[in-house]
Amino acid sequence: MTATPAYLSVRANFTNADYENVCDDFGGGFERLPAWRALGNLLAHRPGWHFDVANGGEAMWCLGFPGESGLAIHVNERLEYHCYDHGQDSDTVAADIPAVEAWLDGREDGARKPSALYIQLASDNRWRLLKAYQFPVQVSWSDGYFSATLPSLAEASFGITLSEAVDGACEMICRLVRAPVALAPELEPTLHLDKSASQQIRSV
């Protein structure tokens, strides 16, 4: 088996990952900050949306199954919202937040699901890419149960133990991409513990 190069284990972190700082540096500068703030207020707690820097250093909000970006929104130089739907290969310029909300109507559920191309690529070579991808899993704890969720989905897997919850999340991934559930133990989830989960683990 070929050893994994050391550089592939490196994870970069911004010195200052504050939302406004990243928007200032990668989102077009100080003049666009009010528009970025408004967009953040709309999407920050909307299921599945995440803020990222992609396309050679461009700040944007994205929604999609892990490893994909079904919908993407960024603020352009005219302080408008450039909205792109990858599934339909179409883009729209929205003048304000109500126009963004109108564009989102009816699009989000489909964008959270893996595309046919994703499923095809994931299944190649006996699901090699699926087993190699590090799926981000959010973990919380409440009322005696751990919950494990994929950022792109509203559904959660529950378990009395952390491993039960995470195993359920991996089985959910398999079902979503039409892979055999028996592959779940071979997936590589990357766990992100919130305060409640971290405190529960440390108290045991």
Side-chain angles (χ1 to χ4, degrees):
M1 179 179 292
T2 304
T4 301
Y7 72 85
L8 291 179
S9 68
V10 176
R11 292 293 177 265
N13 294 306
F14 292 106
T15 301
N16 184 352
D18 172 80
Y19 177 69
E20 290 190 336
N21 180 70
V22 175
C23 289
D24 189 10
D25 287 345
F26 299 98
F30 179 79
E31 294 79 7
R32 301 189 200 181
L33 284 182
W36 280 112
R37 292 184 190 115
L39 189 59
N41 285 336
L42 174 66
L43 301 177
H45 300 294
R46 211 168 174 113
W49 283 93
H50 66 279
F51 181 64
D52 212 340
V53 176
N55 295 342
E58 181 180 36
M60 64 178 63
W61 281 90
C62 300
L63 174 67
F65 192 76
E68 289 193 298
S69 179
L71 303 178
I73 306 174
H74 72 269
V75 179
N76 67 21
E77 64 277 3
R78 294 183 297 277
L79 307 184
E80 299 166 322
Y81 301 99
H82 186 177
C83 308
Y84 185 69
D85 186 327
H86 287 261
Q88 297 184 5
D89 192 21
S90 64
D91 54 2
T92 299
V93 176
D96 51 27
I97 291 298
V100 174
E101 291 184 282
W103 180 80
L104 289 173
D105 188 34
R107 297 177 186 268
E108 291 174 286
D109 287 344
R112 293 187 180 100
K113 299 174 183 177
S115 68
L117 176 60
Y118 182 98
I119 293 172
Q120 176 187 334
L121 293 175
S123 64
D124 286 346
N125 296 320
R126 298 182 179 179
W127 301 95
R128 181 178 61 84
L129 291 179
L130 180 71
K131 291 185 284 186
Y133 187 81
Q134 295 184 336
F135 287 91
V137 174
Q138 305 284 349
V139 179
S140 297
W141 184 88
S142 179
D143 299 324
Y145 290 88
F146 286 97
S147 65
T149 61
L150 289 172
S152 60
L153 302 176
E155 294 87 354
S157 169
F158 297 91
I160 295 176
T161 66
L162 176 60
S163 61
E164 287 176 352
V166 174
D167 288 345
C170 290
E171 291 175 3
M172 183 167 54
I173 293 169
C174 288
R175 287 191 291 270
L176 285 168
V177 300
R178 305 173 194 169
V181 175
L183 287 179
E186 299 183 55
L187 301 191
E188 295 190 19
T190 299
L191 306 186
H192 301 272
L193 308 181
D194 70 5
K195 184 177 180 180
S196 66
S198 179
Q199 289 179 336
Q200 175 61 18
I201 290 173
R202 296 179 70 185
S203 68
V204 175

